[in-house]
Every structure is written in structure tokens, then in C-alpha cells.
Amino acid sequence: MDAVTEYLADGYAGDLTTLGALQILCGFSHEQAAAACLVSPATYRRWRSDRKANPTAVRLMAIHAGYFPWPGWDGWEMHNGFLFPPGYARHGFGPGNLMALPFLYQLLAEYRRKGKSAETVKPTLDRLAEGARYL
């Protein structure tokens, strides 16, 4: 497990010491972090300096930083708008990639129905994958 994944998991578990790292992972200023936690900037600054943060706010920051707490998504993370499967740090899925999946399945089913070989399908899939990156 890499350091980012550990910070996300620890933050979601309520480790109050991860608040600063989670803020950096989110790319939030103090004001943005305060708004995300639904507190005043002064309260957020106190959390960062001399008071204990609210564990629920730390958990919320972990979700903003990319942690997926929902069943079935164990190990998945979101960074810079891309979805990453467990263990991957490159080649995440963007919204266009995910929106194209039903059409790719439909295309593969059609090619299978017509008995096309893998060599004839690959150029079409490559073109679709290239186009989906820019959606």
C-alpha cells in the first residue's frame, strides 16, 4: 500500500493527525477545506494548530481526497477526476471512458455474433478508446 492510500484509509478511519495531509491531497486552501467541512475558516485553522479536529470532518476530507468508502469499491480511489482500480497509480478512467463502456460491450457482442476475429475488432476498439479519452 502506498503512502497516499494509507493516508486516505487512516483519515477515513478517523485519524485526526491526517487532516493536514488530506488537505494537501485535496489541493484545498484553508478556506476551501473549511467550506468542505462546513465550519468557519477560524475553526479549521484551530483544528490544524492546537485543537482536535472533528473526526467526521476528517472522514469527509478523506472522501474529498479520493477515498471510496462504499461497498464493492474497496481499494478504488479518485485522483484529479480519474478513477483508479486497486493497485494502480497510472491509466485511470475518466468520465468518457466509463460512459463508453456500454457501447464497447454492445460492439463486442455484435462482433461476436457476426464471428469477427480479434484482428478485425482491435482497430475499431482502439479508435473508440482514443475518442473516449477526450469526452
Side-chain angles (χ1 to χ4, degrees):
M1 189 179 313
D2 68 340
V4 171
T5 302
E6 286 182 32
Y7 276 119
L8 293 174
D10 290 348
Y12 189 76
D15 182 351
L16 304 180
T17 63
T18 61
L19 186 63
L22 294 172
Q23 179 185 348
I24 292 169
L25 288 173
C26 289
F28 286 168
S29 67
H30 283 322
E31 289 75 23
Q32 291 170 318
C37 294
L38 302 173
V39 297
S40 70
T43 298
Y44 187 80
R45 278 195 216 53
R46 282 192 297 273
W47 286 353
R48 290 291 311 270
S49 63
D50 63 349
R51 298 236 173 103
K52 286 186 175 182
N54 181 329
T56 304
V58 176
R59 181 175 270 191
L60 182 60
M61 287 292 283
I63 293 171
H64 274 289
Y67 186 79
F68 271 70
W70 299 279
W73 291 93
D74 299 331
W76 287 75
E77 296 177 4
M78 177 75 74
H79 299 288
N80 297 323
F82 289 93
L83 183 62
F84 290 90
Y88 283 76
R90 296 179 1 173
H91 307 298
F93 298 100
N97 300 116
L98 296 176
M99 290 173 56
L101 283 177
F103 301 109
L104 290 174
Y105 283 127
Q106 185 179 15
L107 181 66
L108 286 172
E110 184 65 18
Y111 275 126
R112 282 189 195 120
R113 190 180 67 76
K114 290 184 177 181
K116 301 273 185 167
S117 69
E119 286 76 31
T120 59
V121 175
K122 186 170 176 4
T124 304
L125 290 177
D126 288 342
R127 281 196 311 275
L128 284 172
E130 184 66 30
R133 287 185 195 158
Y134 302 107
L135 291 179

